[in-house]
Amino acid sequence: IFPKSKTGLKSVVILLQSADLMALKYKAFIIIPSFIIACVAILSFIFSLITVFKEKDYSVLIIITLLIGMFITSWVVVELVFPH
């Protein structure tokens, strides 16, 4: 369930920090740009990619982090290609 490498643990912690930033933005009404939160989540995605391909760590939390990171990365790409 838990990652065995330090890079994997970093990716999970960074993803949790991005979730905390999102909660602060909407629950405490702190002004944090969504772009900053998305950049933190994409950083987590990059760390999880390094963990899967370089360190061959396939824990459940890494796969979940990878899927969430793929979703957020695709959301950012779609927002950049097709703005409102």
Side-chain angles (χ1 to χ4, degrees), residues 14-26:
I14 292 171
L15 184 69
L16 290 175
Q17 288 175 346
S18 69
D20 287 343
L21 286 174
M22 187 68 74
L24 278 175
K25 178 179 180 175
Y26 289 112

Side-chain angles (χ1 to χ4, degrees), residues 7-71:
T7 313
L9 187 61
K10 284 180 187 177
S11 70
V12 173
V13 168
I14 292 171
L15 184 69
L16 290 175
Q17 288 175 346
S18 69
D20 287 343
L21 286 174
M22 187 68 74
L24 278 175
K25 178 179 180 175
Y26 289 112
K27 297 290 182 183
F29 301 109
I30 295 175
I31 300 172
I32 302 171
S34 296
F35 180 72
I36 300 297
I37 300 171
C39 287
V40 171
I42 290 172
L43 181 67
S44 170
F45 176 61
I46 291 169
F47 274 114
S48 64
L49 281 176
I50 291 170
T51 302
V52 168
F53 289 116
K54 185 178 177 188
E55 299 179 11
K56 307 295 185 203
D57 190 0
Y58 301 108
S59 66
V60 174
L61 288 176
I62 295 298
I63 301 301
I64 291 171
T65 304
L66 195 65
L67 292 174
I68 292 172
M70 285 173 32
F71 174 74

